Amino acid sequence: MEIETKPNFKFINSMWENDYYSIHDKMYIATDCIIFGFDEGVLKLLIFKRKVQPDEGKFSLIGSFVKLNESVSSAANRVLEETTGLKNVFMQELKTYNAVDRDLGFRCISIGQYALIRIEDYDKDLVEKYGAMWYTFDELPDLVLDHNLMVKDAIARLRRKARYQPIGFELLPEKFTLPQLQSLYEAIYQREMDSRNFRKKVLSFGVLIKLEEKDKTSSKKGAFYYKFDNKKYNELLSKGINFEV
Amino acid sequence: MEIETKPNFKFINSMWENDYYSIHDKMYIATDCIIFGFDEGVLKLLIFKRKVQPDEGKFSLIGSFVKLNESVSSAANRVLEETTGLKNVFMQELKTYNAVDRDLGFRCISIGQYALIRIEDYDKDLVEKYGAMWYTFDELPDLVLDHNLMVKDAIARLRRKARYQPIGFELLPEKFTLPQLQSLYEAIYQREMDSRNFRKKVLSFGVLIKLEEKDKTSSKKGAFYYKFDNKKYNELLSKGINFEV
DNA sequence: ATTATTAACGTAAAAAATACATTTATTTTA
DNA sequence: TAAAATAAATGTATTTTTTACGTTAATAAT
């Protein structure tokens, strides 16, 4: 380990393990996760408060260095599991953050990845242990380094992506209702939608399966549950069909 | 330099200079350029024939290791200038290629970037000196490593991107005619378009400035030149307007 | 049985996309 | 110098998609 050659970066000692092979005295490769969650009609972001120097007490995205023997997405999935208990989360590469001076004194390229979490699923204990928490998207505190920019880029990507891929389903439980789906899209796009037009559109894709069961938690009448027909979706995708909502 | 620690990769000696700081015995960061050009109605790709082992004689994208003191896009621009003589080419990050075993025996993450070149502009001598050449997109030879995948990803991105950003203008000369612009889009989308509808649409964005001058190289009547109104475009972009053609 | 609450649904109007054929400017050739 | 050849420029009618908008239905709570 070349840690000794960088006395002003002792802080990362605590984060390092001997098998973080990407840590050397030249260039560092990391990944940061922009983790969105959707809960009670609002879009949230998973961030944590740094417990070590520098920037102790400041808020940060959850990230990790990339090990020599893992892919970038493995690294992100690893840290995500450590933080939330969730495995195999849907995750997409956002872009690299590679400005020469983006980190404090050493060269580090970070590959941003955004993830969409079903908030109900995550392991509360693990999240608390790690010091991570869900923040309402509109009320985010300031983040370290270029993490604010990452969040800005990620929400822009999410909005665009949601227009041609049914990405939003990843944010909802396996079974979801149309009102839930609509409120998710409203949260992503930050605007209200007409329920009749929304239903018409979303059902017209033919990738939703209506279930017998109803969700009665939010109304007396109850709303039918739907689930996503992955097989049908992949068929349509391969034919080049657009899923713009 | 840690080259000696990797005796089986002496081949890269010839490509290395002392200031390629990203070359160490742990993880390597590179960038590869997927360079599209448009010429005489066909989409082309700039590739070169490797002159060194391994894979000598095979075709490859143009790429470089990323230096410690340069951004990824600087690295790509540097190698692009070395190869084509062009500076400040419009370039966009595609995605990272980071599979653990993607390179031959050592760990190398490559950041794919795609560029759009006005073929008329490039320095023919430089391109020839370097061994690079333009290949018609539909007739590409097999490329080394995962470069075929990069090309596949890049054309898909180009097609999608062209739908909501006037990216295509980057592929044309400063002054271009509407028939040229249409034929460019036809090449990107691989389908014919109706000229009346195309003109209607493209002019409706209000980002094209009609010039007095005509291009008479392809017809007796001649076609008016247009140029792209960058200022107007940026205004509209900030208002969130879509440029789908 | 009444009230309260949210889910489910259809149609008419406006806007956008598509399909389609003729005239125009200019050069070349007879 | 008139005729022919060539690609550029243009408008309208039809279809499709998007938008706007109000009423009835199912159930739980009172």
Side-chain angles (χ1 to χ4, degrees):
Chain A
M1 296 290 275
E2 302 90 336
I3 297 173
E4 294 75 17
T5 68
K6 293 199 161 287
N8 47 335
F9 298 117
K10 292 231 175 73
F11 70 95
I12 33 179
N13 259 296
S14 57
M15 294 166 63
W16 285 0
E17 294 162 24
N18 279 329
D19 59 345
Y20 276 75
Y21 293 106
S22 70
I23 293 175
H24 49 77
D25 61 3
K26 302 286 181 172
M27 198 171 322
Y28 303 71
I29 309 301
T31 183
D32 287 295
C33 298
I34 302 97
I35 306 175
F36 294 100
F38 183 66
D39 189 29
E40 292 167 14
V42 281
L43 197 59
K44 299 194 174 179
L45 193 75
L46 189 63
I47 56 181
F48 84 110
K49 200 178 227 167
R50 288 184 61 85
K51 290 176 182 160
V52 291
Q53 281 300 333
D55 289 331
E56 186 175 345
K58 282 199 189 171
F59 288 94
S60 167
L61 293 172
I62 288 154
S64 170
F65 290 102
V66 177
K67 298 183 192 186
L68 187 58
N69 60 348
E70 69 184 357
S71 68
V72 174
S73 93
S74 302
N77 264 297
R78 174 173 48 72
V79 70
L80 202 57
E81 189 181 347
E82 286 166 13
T83 315
T84 65
L86 276 179
K87 294 184 185 191
N88 300 323
V89 167
F90 172 87
M91 203 155 7
Q92 297 257 122
E93 183 175 322
L94 179 59
K95 66 193 266 310
T96 64
Y97 293 83
N98 60 69
V100 172
D101 59 354
R102 66 173 286 279
D103 218 320
L104 306 168
F106 61 98
R107 182 70 195 278
C108 180
I109 293 180
S110 177
I111 298 162
Q113 305 208 93
Y114 63 101
L116 311 172
I117 300 275
R118 298 180 174 122
I119 288 193
E120 55 165 35
D121 292 352
Y122 76 100
D123 180 336
K124 290 206 179 207
D125 292 339
L126 273 170
V127 168
E128 270 167 31
K129 191 181 92 191
Y130 201 87
M133 45 199 132
W134 291 103
Y135 260 75
T136 298
F137 187 75
D138 302 322
E139 302 161 2
L140 287 180
D142 218 50
L143 306 177
V144 299
L145 303 180
D146 50 6
H147 289 196
N148 291 307
L149 176 60
M150 292 185 183
V151 171
K152 190 165 157 274
D153 290 343
I155 187 68
R157 177 75 65 90
L158 184 59
R159 287 199 179 119
R160 175 157 296 285
K161 192 115 188 160
R163 299 189 61 156
Y164 60 85
Q165 273 186 29
I167 199 176
F169 299 112
E170 300 290 339
L171 276 162
L172 292 169
E174 194 83 14
K175 299 183 296 187
F176 53 86
T177 66
L178 291 188
Q180 280 174 342
L181 185 62
Q182 178 174 346
S183 105
L184 167 62
Y185 272 90
E186 288 176 337
I188 293 176
Y189 290 143
Q190 310 258 60
R191 67 178 169 86
E192 297 206 337
M193 292 171 159
D194 180 272
S195 69
R196 286 156 295 188
N197 295 338
F198 181 82
R199 300 169 85 91
K200 209 184 307 172
K201 185 85 188 187
V202 89
L203 290 173
S204 75
F205 299 140
V207 296
L208 294 189
I209 299 168
K210 187 176 182 174
L211 306 177
E212 290 302 303
E213 200 183 346
K214 273 185 170 185
D215 166 35
K216 294 208 176 133
T217 59
S218 68
S219 86
K220 286 153 186 172
K221 180 179 180 180
F224 282 104
Y225 277 121
Y226 285 77
K227 66 176 186 179
F228 187 54
D229 186 344
N230 267 297
K231 197 171 148 233
K232 193 77 168 287
Y233 169 61
N234 288 320
E235 275 172 39
L236 293 176
L237 246 201
S238 63
K239 287 183 198 153
I241 285 171
N242 251 35
F243 292 90
E244 186 152 341
V245 179
Chain B
M1 295 291 279
E2 302 90 337
I3 297 172
E4 295 75 14
T5 68
K6 293 202 158 287
N8 47 335
F9 298 117
K10 291 233 175 70
F11 70 95
I12 31 179
N13 260 297
S14 58
M15 296 167 61
W16 285 0
E17 294 162 25
N18 278 328
D19 58 347
Y20 275 76
Y21 293 106
S22 70
I23 292 174
H24 49 77
D25 61 3
K26 301 285 182 168
M27 196 170 325
Y28 302 72
I29 309 300
T31 183
D32 287 296
C33 298
I34 302 96
I35 306 176
F36 294 100
F38 182 66
D39 189 29
E40 292 167 15
V42 282
L43 198 60
K44 301 195 171 178
L45 194 75
L46 188 63
I47 57 180
F48 84 111
K49 200 176 226 166
R50 288 184 60 86
K51 290 175 181 160
V52 290
Q53 281 300 333
D55 288 331
E56 186 174 344
K58 282 201 189 169
F59 289 95
S60 167
L61 293 173
I62 288 154
S64 170
F65 289 103
V66 176
K67 299 182 190 185
L68 187 57
N69 60 347
E70 70 182 357
S71 68
V72 174
S73 92
S74 302
N77 264 296
R78 174 172 49 71
V79 71
L80 203 57
E81 189 180 346
E82 286 165 12
T83 314
T84 64
L86 275 180
K87 293 184 183 190
N88 300 321
V89 166
F90 173 86
M91 202 154 6
Q92 298 257 122
E93 183 175 322
L94 179 59
K95 66 193 267 309
T96 64
Y97 293 82
N98 60 69
V100 172
D101 59 354
R102 66 173 287 279
D103 218 319
L104 305 169
F106 61 98
R107 182 69 194 279
C108 180
I109 293 179
S110 177
I111 298 163
Q113 305 207 94
Y114 62 101
L116 310 173
I117 301 274
R118 298 177 174 126
I119 288 192
E120 56 164 36
D121 291 351
Y122 78 99
D123 180 335
K124 289 206 179 207
D125 292 339
L126 273 169
V127 168
E128 269 168 31
K129 192 181 91 190
Y130 201 88
M133 45 200 132
W134 291 103
Y135 261 77
T136 298
F137 187 75
D138 301 322
E139 302 162 2
L140 287 179
D142 218 49
L143 305 177
V144 299
L145 303 180
D146 50 5
H147 289 194
N148 291 307
L149 176 60
M150 292 184 183
V151 171
K152 190 164 156 275
D153 291 344
I155 187 67
R157 177 74 65 88
L158 184 59
R159 286 197 179 119
R160 176 158 292 286
K161 192 114 187 160
R163 299 190 60 156
Y164 59 85
Q165 273 184 29
I167 200 176
F169 299 113
E170 301 291 339
L171 276 161
L172 292 170
E174 193 82 15
K175 298 184 296 186
F176 53 86
T177 68
L178 292 188
Q180 281 174 341
L181 185 63
Q182 178 174 345
S183 104
L184 167 63
Y185 272 90
E186 288 177 338
I188 293 175
Y189 290 141
Q190 311 258 58
R191 65 180 169 86
E192 297 205 337
M193 292 172 163
D194 179 272
S195 68
R196 288 156 294 191
N197 296 338
F198 180 82
R199 300 170 85 91
K200 210 183 309 173
K201 184 85 190 188
V202 88
L203 290 174
S204 75
F205 299 141
V207 296
L208 295 189
I209 299 168
K210 187 176 183 175
L211 306 178
E212 290 301 304
E213 201 183 345
K214 273 186 170 183
D215 167 36
K216 296 213 173 124
T217 59
S218 68
S219 86
K220 287 155 186 171
K221 180 178 180 182
F224 282 104
Y225 278 121
Y226 285 78
K227 66 175 187 179
F228 188 54
D229 185 345
N230 266 297
K231 198 171 148 233
K232 192 77 170 285
Y233 169 60
N234 287 319
E235 274 172 38
L236 293 175
L237 246 201
S238 63
K239 288 183 198 153
I241 284 171
N242 252 37
F243 292 90
E244 186 152 340
V245 179

